[in-house]
Amino acid sequence: MNQTMDSSQQSEPKLSPGRFANAPITPQDIGTNLPFKKREGPALAPTFHSLSRMGKLNAILELSSPEAFVQELPSQELHHLIHHIGIEDAGLLVPHTTPDQFRTLLDLDLWVGSEMCPERIERWIWSLDEFGPSDELARRIQQVDPELIISILARWCRIQVRETKDESPMFPHEAVVFTTPDQRYFVELVGDDANDRFPMIYHLIGGLYQADLEQAIQLLDQITMDTPSEVEEEVLRFRNARLQDLGFVSPDEAIRMYAFTSPKKALGDLAAILDGPAGSVFRHEGRPLGTALLGLGAPDNFLATVLGQTDCVERQEQFITAFTYLCNRSSTVRILDLSDLDRWNQEAKTIFGHLNIGLEFLAQGNHEAGGKILEKMHLLELHRVGFSVVTELSHMANTILKTLGSRDAQNLFDSPYAEVISALSSRFPCYTEVVDGGLIDRPFKSLYEVDRLRALVRDAQVSAELFNEHFGVKALEVDAADEAEMPYADVRLSSLWLTLLCQNAQNGTATLQAITIEQANQFVAALCAAPDQTIEKVTDASMSLLEQLSIADDLQVSALRRALIEPAAQRFADAFNRVQDHSYDPNILADFFLVDRN
């Protein structure tokens, strides 16, 4: 049915705060663990940050002036608070916002990177209609960029001037069409979701007319003339300019926080920094943004301890501001949805981890020195140091892959080396951790984790160099065209090592060539004659082979034992102990040797 209706005939359509599926789920638990005193309003209880979402909302509403509390909050902190509580409940705070706060709420919510999410404006229109006075939407429309309204309407509507009062043009049978309050225009909604978007568009145009009739006519006329993409680009420029004050700089500038700086050089330059004046954190005006809702995890690391010794309120607020600015910069690099608090908080933990690593590295574990560095050093530079300490691991991992000739060379290693190299070789290195019996990748939290994985990577590097220099081993690319014809393309170095041991035992030389099933059977029989001595025999044979290869350096030998010999011996013994009482299928040998089936 053609749905052309005059405003006088149209019943008020219902808005919804969470109609669209891309609205992120609000996290159940969120709260900062910064060790110094949180920057709370004097009327809030000290336990405010530990309250549930609804507990926080009730605590605000019980204040003598909730409106004053809302208006004193930094805009980004208010945005976090509303999304943490959930806009269905916290929407009643929105009518209390100042014009600047409301504009910032839209700036933070309606964009992901440079992509507009205009459907999200419905939840803000809903909150104004649901909890504000009857003219609240009209008043707020006058506080936002007209280009934003034009961009939203132009994307989903066709505006047609009604030449005469009796004119009733033909629209498609299924069209969603209504007339403006002055009967001057037909508004046709376009797209597959026209019915869903109708309440939002209807209320938006109604608010335009209620706010200013003349401006509404000018705006609707402009929609029929301007190019929507050009208007949207202009809105984005306005939005980005405002958010620069919150640390959301351009992508090119934001990525500089991840510029590599030599940790050793930074350590050498530290004395000059400590002798200089106190560092300016991030230049800003007005109140700090605050991080009262950031979930940083348990404060059991070096940076948290240093912060816990900081009792200067000014320095605390400088750190809060600088830290929030860093998180905002990083969210620009990662193109985060700023309304997705779970991801935003995860990024905050990553930044906190980099700062912790950088500070502990420069302070060499001395908390007093850490406090002086934190006072003198620009937080952006400190982050670069911490990230660069981690990135050095990434360089080492990629050197291993280059040595073995392929980005997929991590498949040549046993666990955990394979998983560690894979995680570290990414652009933003991760820490591989065993959780509930499974492996996950997460951001680095401490210098201890960096040092631990550095030892693993060094061991793997020695193994890679051994096989590259002595045997010319190269890994195939996963997508190589001829990989399907190579049944053992993913064989591990520990398996190649067993092949070398077999060749050496029977031929007196270690050559990386296929062995026959018969040779493999003989070698297995010799090693497994006494099952409880299998590991010892493999280890002894390995040490003899290292001597033949003229590898005598204690550090190299120790690394090869950890990364190559012990995994090979243990995996071999475990597998054959499982089948020692049965006749094993010769195919099992293919798991451990480069076998010539012919």
Side-chain angles (χ1 to χ4, degrees):
M1 181 179 66
N2 188 333
Q3 300 183 41
T4 307
M5 292 168 282
D6 291 344
S7 58
S8 59
Q9 301 171 312
Q10 172 64 45
S11 60
E12 193 75 8
K14 295 297 183 182
L15 292 160
S16 170
R19 178 194 302 277
F20 297 94
N22 64 347
I25 300 173
T26 54
Q28 293 293 324
D29 184 27
I30 185 172
T32 184
N33 293 103
L34 289 176
F36 44 68
K37 183 179 179 181
K38 302 176 182 68
R39 190 173 52 78
E40 299 161 345
L44 287 175
T47 58
F48 176 79
H49 295 278
S50 63
L51 297 175
S52 66
R53 294 182 297 159
M54 288 306 299
K56 288 186 175 74
L57 179 61
N58 290 332
I60 294 171
L61 298 179
E62 290 170 2
L63 296 174
S64 58
S65 179
E67 180 177 4
F69 171 81
V70 169
Q71 293 181 357
E72 289 176 2
L73 281 177
S75 297
Q76 189 175 358
E77 190 165 343
L78 176 61
H79 177 263
H80 284 321
L81 180 62
I82 289 173
H83 279 287
H84 167 53
I85 295 173
I87 198 163
E88 293 88 344
D89 298 308
L92 59 84
L93 303 178
V94 176
H96 295 324
T97 59
T98 67
D100 286 342
Q101 284 177 319
F102 184 72
R103 189 182 297 111
T104 302
L105 291 177
L106 298 185
D107 286 339
L108 295 172
D109 197 56
L110 301 188
W111 303 82
V112 177
S114 60
E115 294 295 321
M116 181 186 279
C117 304
E119 64 274 6
R120 294 185 180 180
I121 199 173
E122 178 167 351
R123 52 204 193 197
W124 302 103
I125 295 175
W126 172 86
S127 65
L128 298 174
D129 270 2
E130 185 78 7
F131 301 112
S134 59
D135 63 342
E136 186 68 13
L137 176 58
R139 185 169 70 90
R140 294 296 180 165
I141 283 177
Q142 294 178 310
Q143 298 171 358
V144 300
D145 300 326
E147 291 81 5
L148 176 63
I149 308 298
I150 292 172
S151 182
I152 291 173
L153 294 179
R155 179 180 289 214
W156 289 325
C157 300
R158 278 195 289 263
I159 310 295
Q160 182 176 332
V161 178
R162 189 174 190 174
E163 301 295 344
T164 65
K165 183 176 181 181
D166 297 330
E167 180 185 8
S168 183
M170 295 297 296
F171 291 97
H173 181 71
E174 68 281 1
V176 179
V177 185
F178 67 95
T179 55
T180 55
D182 63 351
Q183 311 297 304
R184 180 183 175 90
Y185 303 93
F186 290 104
V187 180
E188 179 187 3
L189 278 73
V190 297
D192 296 335
D193 298 324
N195 278 298
D196 286 338
R197 292 178 181 133
F198 168 67
M200 174 178 65
I201 300 300
Y202 182 87
H203 279 258
L204 193 55
I205 290 180
L208 277 173
Y209 272 83
Q210 187 180 4
D212 189 321
L213 175 60
E214 183 177 349
Q215 185 183 32
I217 293 173
Q218 291 176 353
L219 189 146
L220 294 178
D221 283 339
Q222 191 172 349
I223 292 174
T224 64
M225 297 181 292
D226 288 348
T227 303
S229 60
E230 294 179 356
V231 176
E232 196 165 305
E233 289 175 4
E234 190 172 4
V235 177
L236 180 59
R237 285 197 297 272
F238 292 157
R239 178 252 189 187
N240 288 347
R242 286 192 292 267
L243 290 190
Q244 280 188 357
D245 293 337
L246 304 182
F248 295 97
V249 295
S250 70
D252 288 342
E253 185 176 352
I255 195 66
R256 293 174 190 167
M257 68 181 288
Y258 293 102
F260 182 83
T261 180
S262 168
K264 290 183 179 179
K265 183 178 185 303
L267 194 59
D269 295 341
L270 184 60
I273 295 174
L274 295 180
D275 288 340
S280 60
V281 220
F282 279 92
R283 295 180 180 86
H284 65 282
E285 296 179 0
R287 290 188 59 182
L289 300 175
T291 56
L293 294 172
L294 290 181
L296 300 179
D300 56 355
N301 51 39
F302 187 84
L303 174 58
T305 301
V306 173
L307 290 174
Q309 299 170 353
T310 303
D311 54 7
C312 173
V313 175
E314 181 182 359
R315 294 303 300 170
Q316 292 176 3
E317 297 221 335
Q318 284 181 325
F319 176 83
I320 288 174
T321 302
F323 179 70
T324 308
Y325 276 30
L326 275 176
C327 294
N328 290 347
R329 280 176 176 247
S330 185
S331 70
T332 302
V333 176
R334 301 300 192 102
I335 316 179
L336 296 187
D337 180 349
L338 300 175
S339 298
D340 186 344
L341 298 190
D342 284 329
R343 283 200 64 197
W344 206 90
N345 284 317
Q346 183 179 3
E347 193 63 19
K349 293 176 183 179
T350 302
I351 301 304
F352 197 83
H354 291 159
L355 293 173
N356 176 57
I357 291 168
L359 186 64
E360 186 172 4
F361 173 81
L362 293 177
Q364 300 292 287
N366 185 296
H367 291 105
E368 183 179 355
K372 294 178 180 177
I373 293 170
L374 202 59
E375 180 180 351
K376 298 277 189 172
M377 195 171 190
H378 196 297
L379 215 58
L380 178 62
E381 296 301 327
L382 184 59
H383 175 269
R384 284 176 177 157
V385 173
F387 177 74
S388 297
V389 169
V390 176
T391 302
E392 283 188 328
L393 288 182
S394 181
H395 293 167
M396 293 173 66
N398 280 289
T399 297
I400 292 172
L401 300 183
K402 185 177 179 180
T403 298
L404 292 173
S406 167
R407 68 178 184 274
D408 300 305
Q410 69 264 13
N411 297 319
L412 298 180
F413 292 90
D414 287 276
S415 182
Y417 297 95
E419 292 81 6
V420 167
I421 293 171
S422 178
L424 292 179
S425 61
S426 61
R427 183 182 183 188
F428 293 94
C430 295
Y431 177 78
T432 300
E433 183 179 29
V434 178
V435 177
D436 298 329
L439 289 168
I440 65 166
D441 292 336
R442 61 162 175 78
F444 280 85
K445 296 178 180 178
S446 67
L447 188 60
Y448 167 78
E449 293 179 347
V450 175
D451 292 338
R452 178 178 177 276
L453 291 200
R454 184 182 287 113
L456 288 175
V457 174
R458 283 174 175 164
D459 289 352
Q461 190 169 17
V462 173
S463 296
E465 291 170 352
L466 166 68
F467 278 93
N468 175 255
E469 294 173 6
H470 289 271
F471 306 104
V473 170
K474 297 290 183 183
L476 293 178
E477 297 281 358
V478 165
D479 55 358
D482 58 348
E483 183 189 1
E485 306 300 324
M486 301 293 292
Y488 309 119
D490 63 345
V491 70
R492 282 175 278 189
L493 296 181
S494 58
S495 297
L496 299 184
W497 186 250
L498 290 170
T499 300
L500 292 168
L501 293 180
C502 181
Q503 289 279 14
N504 192 51
Q506 298 185 12
N507 303 325
T509 59
T511 57
L512 196 54
Q513 296 178 353
I515 61 176
T516 65
I517 292 289
E518 182 180 356
Q519 288 175 313
N521 274 320
Q522 292 174 359
F523 186 62
V524 170
L527 289 179
C528 298
D532 59 334
Q533 297 177 14
T534 299
I535 293 178
E536 182 180 351
K537 289 181 178 180
V538 173
T539 302
D540 290 344
S542 297
M543 299 305 293
S544 296
L545 181 53
L546 290 182
E547 289 183 16
Q548 288 179 237
L549 297 174
S550 300
I551 299 175
D553 180 82
D554 290 343
L555 293 178
Q556 283 184 294
V557 171
S558 296
L560 290 170
R561 288 190 66 132
R562 289 188 294 266
L564 179 66
I565 297 171
E566 291 175 4
Q570 189 64 58
R571 188 160 63 89
F572 180 83
D574 290 346
F576 282 94
N577 283 338
R578 288 196 299 269
V579 298
Q580 62 179 325
D581 296 329
H582 308 280
S583 58
Y584 52 82
D585 187 329
N587 286 329
I588 293 178
L589 298 175
D591 292 335
F592 298 96
F593 302 102
L594 198 63
V595 176
D596 182 357
R597 294 171 184 269
N598 297 322

